[in-house]
Amino acid sequence: MGEPRLPGTYLKEKEMYQLPGIVEHRPDAKYSFSAGQAVSRFLEGLKQGRILGKRCPRCGRVYVPPRSYCEYCFAPTAEWVEVSGEGEVNTAVVSYISTFRERLEEPEIIAVIRLYAPGYTGKKDEYEFPGIFHKLCGVKPEDVMSGRVIGMRVRPRWKPPERRVGSITDIECFEPVEG
Amino acid sequence: MRVALVSMGWSGFRPSVEELSFREMMFEAAMRAYEQAGIDPRRDVDAFISCQEDFWEGIAITDEFAPEPIGGVLRPTLTVAGEFLQGLAQAYMMVKTGYFDVVVVESHAKPSDVESMRGVFEMAFDPLYLRPLKAPNPHFLAGLMASAFMARSGVDREHLAMVAVKNKSNGLYNPRASHSARITLSDVLDSEPVVDPLTRYEIAPFSDAAVVAVVASEEAARRLTDTPVWIDGVGWSTEAGTGSMAWHDLGSMPSMRMAATMAASMAGISSIMRDTSFAEVEDRYSFAELMAAEEALTGDALEAARMLENGDFDRDGYYPVNPSGGSLAMGVAFEATGGARLLEAYLRLLGGGEEVEAGAERALVLSWRGIPTRTSMAVILSL
């Protein structure tokens, strides 16, 4: 049996838009964003399987993904640093349904990875750190829900070089470091 | 208590600043302004105002991108979804409250990032009346305004072209005027109309740009600079949205007059023409400069046209209008366009740089927010 029907006349979406008084408009809004000095080089790096960041000369903060300026010191970030890509899961979430509310075949795990950066240890409880948003693979939803993934050591799983295009999706996902 | 401009910085003013992101342009403009004022934004600025619109940016809730590049992270920052000069008015009021000594105003534009400019303009059109017409070129509104302006006032077609000739060549003295050219009246009049009567010389192209101003109370300004430029008055006014624009005379723009009158009255000036020595005004279309001159300066379009023809509005004339070359030479930078007018007036008042001449003491800045708006802003500056 389907959903119980409520009284009244049901309208299909198409019929609704034919009603007088409703004018449809689909936006035509297309952009091509200039990535700029810092992010362009970051994207080039991804194509080569490297994760690049920039260091603030004043406070030593490392920005991954890189910024041309330090948002705390308001100083230009001159020095480039390369990080290994290894890091720890800072927070993670499991999505079971899409934005349009249909159930996903496979639940999706998204995480914030706090990246290890050379010469930058930071504090455990600091507000800001070099990090990256990405998918987490090789872990079960239960590991996320139980909180076991928090602090887990992970590393990027790269796409093969011929399939990299200079995008954050050149990294397929982050996966646990064995052992 | 008086309110002053302590410094201004800029970035870009080129058709395409492809090597920088909008954030890097904001940073560059902010860095210039802060360096001149000798301030550290992390310590010395009480509030930040960014003027931007989501559809220009291609980012919804783009406010959240404002703080980082201008030093505003974890500090009081707000967005004015409008023009730079509206943001300046906001800063002026905040300083006047006495709670804020130093307020930063920022606006930026990256039109070179917008691939579907017509579609973005269309989003600003009334969804019921205007969008279904599917106008192929949003400049049609400017064409309607130009025709209505000429019909009402009796200003000649040639006068519109004279504005383009004057401003395009004024720009040759201005390093920020990428769209400058030495052109003649016949170049303009003989070229094909884009939207009749306007030719391509009379429609300002776009520019990528960022502008930052440091605004301060009198006390703070005197501490930070030897050369404060005083904001004697600000004004702004809006008429009607595109849904009701058709009921209004497109050949005049009372919002320009209201904004200018408000600023002048705040500045204690009874005649802007008499009490200021030059003006940077709206000119993203040739006719708009004459309309601005009529609404804010002469009260009569034919008188404005006569002064233009006489050379009174030339950069070395009796009363220079857009000595910088205006938008026709510098380009339209979305919400930073009025900021560009302010920047040029500020620099000219200071007499700094080889492109400006000293001697002026007071200036009018007048900007319109461009099609399809009927919103105008005015500022009176003095040395």
Side-chain angles (χ1 to χ4, degrees):
Chain A
M1 295 297 285
E3 301 279 314
R5 280 181 70 87
L6 295 167
T9 308
Y10 283 72
L11 279 180
K12 291 192 172 68
E13 194 179 339
K14 197 174 151 198
E15 291 168 339
M16 191 178 84
Y17 282 112
Q18 284 167 350
L19 287 174
I22 293 195
V23 179
E24 203 182 356
H25 179 82
R26 283 180 203 283
D28 171 26
K30 296 192 194 79
Y31 307 84
S32 54
F33 299 102
S34 316
Q37 302 272 318
V39 175
S40 293
R41 192 151 161 195
F42 173 71
L43 297 175
E44 277 300 311
L46 292 175
K47 209 170 170 179
Q48 298 154 17
R50 304 166 69 201
I51 300 179
L52 300 174
K54 290 195 91 176
R55 192 193 309 276
C56 172
R58 287 204 203 155
C59 68
R61 275 189 178 84
V62 172
Y63 286 89
V64 182
R67 285 271 184 282
S68 293
Y69 45 82
C70 173
E71 65 187 50
Y72 283 88
C73 303
F74 202 75
T77 49
E79 187 198 346
W80 285 92
V81 293
E82 181 169 356
V83 301
S84 67
E86 274 195 28
E88 291 168 10
V89 175
N90 181 259
T91 179
V93 67
V94 191
S95 277
Y96 289 93
I97 55 174
S98 83
T99 315
F100 301 104
R101 298 188 203 166
E102 74 262 0
R103 187 158 287 278
L104 298 173
E105 276 182 30
E106 284 289 321
E108 194 172 69
I109 301 173
I110 301 286
V112 172
I113 319 296
R114 182 199 158 113
L115 295 165
Y116 300 139
Y120 180 66
T121 49
K123 282 184 243 137
K124 249 313 191 221
D125 61 347
E126 73 194 326
Y127 168 65
E128 180 263 287
F129 46 80
I132 216 160
F133 269 119
H134 225 291
K135 293 180 186 180
L136 211 54
C137 47
V139 300
K140 297 189 185 74
E142 301 83 71
D143 297 333
V144 177
M145 289 186 291
S146 66
R148 272 195 296 276
V149 295
I150 307 295
M152 185 183 274
R153 238 179 121 156
V154 292
R155 67 174 167 219
R157 183 195 286 174
W158 293 93
K159 280 183 182 167
E162 66 275 11
R163 281 180 50 216
R164 293 183 205 146
V165 294
S167 156
I168 192 70
T169 56
D170 290 350
I171 299 171
E172 248 164 44
C173 57
F174 277 73
E175 60 188 2
V177 177
E178 306 299 331
Chain B
M1 181 230 295
R2 297 167 91 189
V3 180
L5 282 170
V6 170
S7 66
M8 288 193 74
W10 59 275
S11 171
F13 286 108
R14 282 186 279 127
S16 176
V17 182
E18 59 205 8
E19 73 277 16
L20 298 179
S21 65
F22 74 89
R23 287 186 267 213
E24 288 165 344
M25 290 181 70
M26 292 165 76
F27 178 72
E28 184 172 87
M31 198 57 136
R32 276 186 168 141
Y34 302 157
E35 179 61 25
Q36 286 165 42
I39 55 170
D40 175 354
R42 306 298 295 150
R43 195 189 59 207
D44 304 324
V45 175
D46 300 311
F48 300 82
I49 299 168
S50 181
C51 311
Q52 46 180 335
E53 266 287 356
D54 289 4
F55 264 104
W56 296 139
E57 304 291 317
I59 301 172
I61 321 173
T62 186
D63 319 44
E64 298 295 304
F65 288 71
E68 260 180 53
I70 56 176
V73 167
L74 289 171
R75 307 297 307 279
T77 303
L78 65 89
T79 300
V80 167
E83 235 279 339
F84 185 100
L85 297 180
Q86 291 173 299
L88 187 84
Q90 172 75 23
Y92 177 92
M93 292 187 288
M94 285 168 77
V95 171
K96 280 280 191 183
T97 64
Y99 283 103
F100 305 87
D101 283 330
V102 180
V103 179
V104 162
V105 184
E106 183 276 343
S107 186
H108 60 272
K110 209 74 160 83
S112 68
D113 277 4
V114 181
E115 285 186 18
S116 56
M117 195 62 86
R118 194 199 68 87
V120 170
F121 268 100
E122 197 173 69
M123 286 302 295
F125 286 180
D126 185 284
L128 302 181
Y129 299 144
L130 263 181
R131 288 188 212 171
L133 294 178
K134 299 213 176 300
N137 186 335
H139 295 303
F140 84 92
L141 272 172
L144 290 174
M145 290 178 189
S147 298
F149 173 68
M150 289 194 294
R152 176 184 61 78
S153 66
V155 163
D156 291 335
R157 170 74 191 89
E158 284 73 17
H159 289 121
L160 270 55
M162 281 175 209
V163 172
V165 172
K166 170 176 71 72
N167 291 4
K168 290 271 187 198
S169 59
N170 280 359
L172 292 168
Y173 298 85
N174 181 350
R176 288 167 297 281
S178 299
H179 302 286
S180 309
R182 175 140 297 171
I183 51 169
T184 63
L185 214 49
S186 55
D187 288 333
V188 182
L189 294 170
D190 296 345
S191 64
E192 199 186 349
V194 175
V195 284
D196 183 70
L198 304 171
T199 63
R200 67 188 178 94
Y201 294 110
E202 295 166 282
I203 300 176
F206 289 104
S207 281
D208 290 352
V211 180
V212 168
V214 176
V215 179
S217 64
E218 179 163 8
E219 194 196 336
R222 292 207 188 276
R223 194 174 67 236
L224 294 171
T225 180
D226 296 332
T227 53
V229 169
W230 304 105
I231 303 170
D232 291 338
V234 292
W236 65 99
S237 172
T238 296
E239 297 168 42
T242 47
S244 47
M245 207 180 263
W247 316 333
H248 296 76
D249 171 28
L250 293 177
S252 61
M253 206 175 290
S255 61
M256 284 181 171
R257 188 167 65 245
M258 298 310 289
T261 306
M262 178 176 165
S265 122
M266 215 179 274
I269 286 174
S270 55
S271 160
I272 294 175
M273 187 87 197
R274 190 192 61 215
D275 295 332
T276 61
S277 37
F278 73 96
E280 285 284 332
V281 303
E282 182 54 49
D283 72 324
R284 70 190 74 200
Y285 303 102
S286 56
F287 78 89
E289 182 177 294
L290 285 163
M291 199 182 250
E294 176 191 25
E295 298 287 11
L297 295 170
T298 62
D300 175 20
L302 284 175
E303 173 67 4
R306 190 192 58 75
M307 291 185 76
L308 173 73
E309 195 174 335
N310 275 356
D312 292 336
F313 291 164
D314 288 355
R315 60 190 287 281
D316 55 358
Y318 159 73
Y319 186 93
V321 175
N322 286 323
S324 68
S327 295
L328 285 168
M330 293 176 71
V332 167
F334 295 155
E335 310 298 354
T337 309
R341 301 278 62 69
L342 185 81
L343 171 72
E344 297 303 329
Y346 171 80
L347 291 176
R348 189 176 171 91
L349 280 169
L350 286 181
E354 56 192 342
E355 74 279 6
V356 292
E357 291 162 30
E361 284 176 356
R362 203 175 236 167
L364 165 73
V365 176
L366 179 74
S367 190
W368 160 46
R369 220 180 145 198
I371 58 160
T373 80
R374 299 284 282 180
T375 289
S376 306
M377 297 73 54
V379 181
I380 304 278
L381 295 177
S382 73
L383 257 192

